[in-house]
Amino acid sequence: MFPSTIRSCPARRVMRAGIAALAAATLAGTLGGCSSGSAGSPSPVPSQSSASAGPSGSAAQPVVLDERQRGRTVRVTVGTLVVVRLHSAYWSTPTSSNPRVLAPAGGGTTTTATCPPGRGCGISSARFTVLGPGTAHVTARRDACGEAMRCPPGQGRYDVTAAVTR
């Protein structure tokens, strides 16, 4: 009866936009899988990051690392909190190669209750307190990058070097 009114209805345009946004989000989630970050992908983080104490002598903001820093060196100062967040439940909990430099301060793996089988939805994380000068590697491993799917070369190991100064 009012076909031109129905086609131009603002509520209908909003509904179409919502459906398009939902489709885009679903596609992004499907393509994301457990292969977040790759050895060859560009990173907005420079190869050497630094953190230091503020003018009042208090510790700087935490340094947060994820898959984008894999294979890089991060420069931090004593007293900094380093947080590692790897975006798949297939990763082992990140560890420090030198607890006198990067001391473990908690971590583990959290999974998403509504995750479809084989997706590895969740985060493997760890926190480290920078205790003293030196070098330490933060490492994690995974054998699977999906249900019954072995990781391709370069995707099963996470390693970041932390270079600590006073």
Side-chain angles (χ1 to χ4, degrees), residues 45-53 59-66 68-69 72-85 102 125-130 138 158 160-164:
V45 177
S47 62
Q48 295 183 352
S49 304
S50 64
S52 59
Q61 292 291 324
V63 173
V64 180
L65 307 174
D66 63 14
R68 293 175 292 189
Q69 286 79 38
R72 299 184 185 254
T73 297
V74 178
R75 299 194 185 284
V76 292
T77 58
V78 173
T80 302
L81 176 66
V82 175
V83 179
V84 181
R85 291 187 185 127
L102 285 182
S125 64
R127 296 177 343 160
F128 302 95
T129 303
V130 180
V138 176
Y158 176 84
V160 170
T161 303
V164 180

Side-chain angles (χ1 to χ4, degrees), residues 9-94:
C9 176
R12 188 173 206 147
R13 283 191 300 254
V14 169
M15 186 170 66
R16 282 185 183 153
I19 291 170
L22 179 61
T26 301
L27 180 61
T30 301
L31 295 176
C34 77
S35 61
S36 300
S38 65
S41 66
S43 171
V45 177
S47 62
Q48 295 183 352
S49 304
S50 64
S52 59
S56 65
S58 63
Q61 292 291 324
V63 173
V64 180
L65 307 174
D66 63 14
E67 293 86 351
R68 293 175 292 189
Q69 286 79 38
R70 180 187 356 217
R72 299 184 185 254
T73 297
V74 178
R75 299 194 185 284
V76 292
T77 58
V78 173
T80 302
L81 176 66
V82 175
V83 179
V84 181
R85 291 187 185 127
L86 302 176
H87 298 89
S88 172
Y90 292 125
W91 286 108
S92 64
T93 301

Side-chain angles (χ1 to χ4, degrees), residues 98-113:
N98 188 346
R100 291 183 309 225
V101 175
L102 285 182
T109 301
T110 57
T111 57
T112 305

